[in-house]
Amino acid sequence: MPEGTPRPFERQIHPGSGRRKAPFTPKGRQLDAEALDDVQALLGDKPRRPDLLIEHLHLIQDNYGHLSARHLRALSEEMKLPMSAVYEVASFYAHFDIVLDGETPPPPLTIRVCDSITCEMMGAQDILKALPQEVGSQVRVVAAPCMGRCACAPVAEVGHRHVDNATVESLAAAAAGGHHAVIPDYTDFAAYGGGGGYTLLRACLAGKRTPEELITALSDASLRGLGGAGFPTGKKWEIVRGYPGPRLMSINGDEGEPGTFKDRHYLESDPHRFLEGALIAAWAVGCERCYIYIRDEYPAVREILSSEIAKLEAAGLTEHCPLELRRGAGAYICGEESAMLESIEGKRGLPRHRPPYIAEVGLFGKPTLNQNVETMFWVRDIVEKGAEWFASHGRNGGKGLRSYSVSGRVKSPGVKLAPAGISVQELIDEYCDGMAEGHEFRAYLPGGASGGILPASMGDLALEFGVLDKFGCFVGSHAVVILSDKDDLKAAALNLMRFFEDESCGQCTPCRNGTEKAVQLMSRKTWDVSLLEELAQVMRDASICGLGQAAPNPLSSILKYFPEELK
């Protein structure tokens, strides 16, 4: 090559510039030594495994109030992950605030005001409009999806402290006070053990019980998965146990369905009944580790479980199956079991294609038993009191007990432990002290945001798995929202569709674009019925998971059962 000929890829300096050739640096964001020191100090001796990425992102967010680009780069270096992998996970979850170079970090305090269905009915929009002026520029006010406290609507979260029955005044006062989670009174390890707790688990570990005996008891009791799908629990244990080990277990505590709060109720009042059930299930199925996934909106639950699991470890009750607590980061899609497993593995919560099902190829590629919190809550009582005791409860063909999360226009909302198969009219009259003053029962959501909307004239139907399918609805996680003659049903359906638009993971076009298009069409004064019906059918037929498949249910319910709303 002739002298003076530029070499390929050599950085050229303009002649006469007077600058020396710049030293070579790799492309991309450069590592900041100070930021690396920060991240290393925060992580301490914690493992740097890829599945802990979300946990480590929380450490940075909690400490600094946001995720700066320099800290994300340092975390990628420390965990030996590509910057793109760290960024795509951090940007997927709603509770992570990424601040790039030149951008202004968020204020030191954030108030999240729930604007999901029940809170919106109770005045959330008025709070969102008035609160920013009341608290000033040093407090960020944002709308947020359901916080699992629908019986106390409207609700807001000030930092990590929830304010029930919120008003502008109470939130302004809370902003000036403490911002930590309030821990309610609950049955701790000592109190639970004093009432006979862990006797059954110890009997199992000592070989005084057999897995087959427990599986038979749960099957005879007709216990079903109470997270929404309703799959027979005993059968699930049998299926997962049939696959060669090692096996894992996961607990779905990502209770994000608007209208649902039963799992939080049990975790904040009697957590060890759930923990014992989970440890018994792990023993029966032969799971070597259990991951408990709790949504980020439940800070009190996380603190309770962290404290009580430590006591279990000290008592030697988790040696057969260590319990690992994992924290969500604001993604409703992670309530879908395979998306939750992706999140536990430190990734974006994108649902997996099936088959294979997670019972065969689940968490970290191993057979996985996935259960809901309330399902595990009943294990001890069913085995100790007998299958007949549990199955003897029920109405209208239902078997067992159900925890109904009831909110909306009733006098006494809350978690109602009632017979499986009870009707909504019976639930209102016998468990909720009737309708709220001045309100007439008009419609109800039998299964949260995705369960559809039915008229009061169909209030005698059993709230049980499979019964409502032929009407285009379902009970799901038994979240019942009561609407009255004072509520705008089209606006309610639009609120639900906006929720699905915000929470779609974006993986598949029918859900990602379908929810967005549906919101546009439903925001018009006059609905294009034929186009909406066609859109709903495409979403049901072609979406990857239940979010997109069920998102049109409230829309279709309005079209089918409330034609007067379209005039």
Side-chain angles (χ1 to χ4, degrees):
M1 180 178 293
E3 185 177 350
T5 302
R7 297 178 181 275
F9 311 115
E10 181 179 39
R11 183 177 300 179
Q12 299 300 306
I13 303 298
H14 190 277
S17 66
R19 293 191 293 116
R20 294 182 179 179
K21 185 184 296 185
F24 173 77
T25 55
K27 290 185 177 181
R29 181 173 295 278
Q30 303 307 300
L31 181 64
D32 183 310
E34 184 179 348
L36 183 61
D37 289 342
D38 294 340
V39 169
Q40 289 174 338
L42 280 175
L43 268 57
D45 60 357
K46 292 180 173 62
R48 270 58 167 174
R49 302 193 315 265
D51 62 288
L52 292 173
L53 173 57
I54 295 171
E55 297 296 311
H56 296 342
L57 287 168
H58 274 302
L59 286 175
I60 300 172
Q61 171 95 13
D62 289 346
N63 191 73
Y64 294 99
H66 63 277
L67 300 173
S68 67
R70 54 196 288 271
H71 283 134
L72 290 177
R73 173 66 182 88
L75 184 62
S76 74
E77 179 74 17
E78 188 66 12
M79 297 189 70
K80 301 297 184 286
L81 291 171
M83 180 64 177
S84 59
V86 174
Y87 184 82
E88 75 171 3
V89 170
S91 60
F92 180 84
Y93 295 93
H95 290 185
F96 291 139
D97 294 310
I98 299 176
V99 177
L100 301 179
D101 296 340
E103 295 182 344
T104 303
L109 178 64
T110 295
I111 299 179
R112 301 178 189 276
V113 180
C114 175
D115 68 349
S116 286
I117 181 69
T118 307
C119 286
E120 177 126 328
M121 290 163 58
M122 302 300 178
Q125 291 302 325
D126 293 335
I127 293 175
L128 282 165
K129 289 176 184 176
L131 188 58
Q133 290 74 31
E134 191 72 23
V135 296
S137 60
Q138 291 304 301
V139 178
R140 178 177 58 165
V141 178
V142 298
C146 186
M147 297 177 183
R149 308 181 75 86
C150 315
C152 309
V155 173
E157 188 178 16
V158 181
H160 289 300
R161 178 188 172 192
H162 285 100
V163 177
D164 297 335
N165 305 118
T167 63
V168 171
E169 294 73 23
S170 66
L171 290 175
H179 308 142
H180 297 291
V182 176
I183 308 300
D185 293 333
Y186 66 92
T187 304
D188 64 8
F189 178 69
Y192 182 74
Y198 293 109
T199 300
L200 177 58
L201 174 62
R202 287 189 170 96
C204 292
L205 297 176
K208 297 178 181 178
R209 298 276 192 165
T210 67
E212 292 79 9
E213 177 186 357
L214 268 61
I215 290 173
T216 298
L218 298 184
S219 297
D220 291 346
S222 298
L223 179 66
R224 305 179 74 163
L226 299 173
F231 192 85
T233 303
K235 184 65 175 177
K236 180 182 285 190
W237 289 17
E238 189 176 4
I239 291 172
V240 179
R241 193 164 179 263
Y243 287 110
R247 308 176 196 91
L248 297 174
M249 183 176 179
S250 59
I251 299 292
N252 193 338
D254 194 64
E255 189 177 41
E257 181 76 18
T260 310
F261 47 92
K262 62 183 179 63
D263 291 347
R264 178 188 60 80
H265 168 78
Y266 287 123
L267 290 170
E268 289 185 348
S269 58
D270 197 2
H272 283 281
R273 197 170 299 270
F274 148 72
L275 290 169
E276 183 174 14
L279 288 168
I280 289 170
W283 167 82
V285 177
C287 300
E288 63 177 24
R289 183 172 288 269
C290 176
Y291 295 81
I292 303 175
Y293 190 91
I294 299 296
R295 64 188 310 222
D296 198 30
E297 290 86 347
Y298 288 176
V301 169
R302 295 197 313 274
E303 288 194 32
I304 290 170
L305 290 180
S306 180
S307 173
E308 298 305 313
I309 288 172
K311 297 174 185 177
L312 285 177
E313 292 171 347
L317 292 174
T318 64
E319 292 179 358
H320 70 292
C321 180
L323 302 176
E324 191 163 332
L325 195 60
R326 290 298 179 90
R327 178 179 173 183
Y332 166 74
I333 190 63
C334 290
E336 196 276 338
E337 62 178 12
S338 67
M340 181 191 69
L341 299 191
E342 291 286 300
S343 189
I344 292 174
E345 292 179 1
K347 298 180 256 182
R348 294 176 295 166
L350 301 181
R352 299 175 181 176
H353 291 273
R354 293 173 288 186
Y357 294 91
I358 70 167
E360 181 182 5
V361 182
L363 193 55
F364 305 115
K366 300 176 181 178
T368 301
L369 174 67
N370 182 57
Q371 297 280 202
N372 168 257
V373 169
E374 190 198 351
T375 309
M376 295 296 91
F377 186 86
W378 289 115
V379 170
R380 174 192 165 190
D381 281 344
I382 289 173
V383 177
E384 290 185 345
K385 297 180 180 180
E388 291 184 3
W389 164 79
F390 188 78
S392 66
H393 296 85
R395 296 185 190 177
N396 306 314
K399 281 188 177 183
L401 292 165
R402 297 285 186 272
S403 301
Y404 295 90
S405 305
V406 186
S407 64
R409 308 298 190 180
V410 292
K411 285 183 181 177
S412 303
V415 175
K416 310 297 179 180
L417 184 59
I422 194 172
S423 70
V424 71
Q425 190 65 63
E426 293 170 329
L427 200 59
I428 293 171
D429 295 340
E430 299 176 31
Y431 290 85
C432 301
D433 300 320
M435 294 291 293
E437 199 68 36
H439 290 268
E440 182 179 334
F441 181 31
R442 186 184 180 196
Y444 65 105
L445 280 65
S450 56
I453 306 175
L454 290 171
S457 60
M458 299 174 70
D460 58 347
L461 296 174
L463 295 173
E464 180 59 328
F465 295 112
V467 174
L468 305 180
D469 294 5
K470 60 184 177 182
F471 302 106
C473 298
F474 55 78
V475 294
S477 57
H478 296 78
V480 181
V481 182
I482 307 299
L483 307 174
S484 78
D485 56 330
K486 303 292 194 299
D487 295 311
D488 182 337
L489 299 189
K490 284 177 66 177
L494 177 58
N495 173 279
L496 299 173
M497 188 60 75
R498 281 183 173 142
F499 169 79
F500 292 123
E501 178 190 21
D502 290 340
E503 295 298 333
S504 173
C505 74
Q507 181 178 190
C508 68
T509 302
C511 178
R512 181 185 65 248
N513 291 9
T515 52
E516 180 183 9
K517 184 64 175 178
V519 165
Q520 294 174 4
L521 293 172
M522 293 168 70
S523 298
R524 297 175 182 174
K525 184 176 181 179
T526 302
W527 285 9
D528 186 332
V529 174
S530 61
L531 185 55
L532 283 168
E533 288 177 336
E534 183 180 358
L535 178 61
Q537 193 60 51
V538 170
M539 292 172 65
R540 287 195 187 93
D541 291 344
S543 294
I544 289 175
C545 80
L547 192 156
Q549 295 163 10
N553 286 347
L555 160 64
S556 298
S557 296
I558 298 298
L559 299 180
K560 184 175 183 180
Y561 298 113
F562 303 95
E564 69 276 8
E565 291 289 313
L566 306 177
K567 297 178 181 178

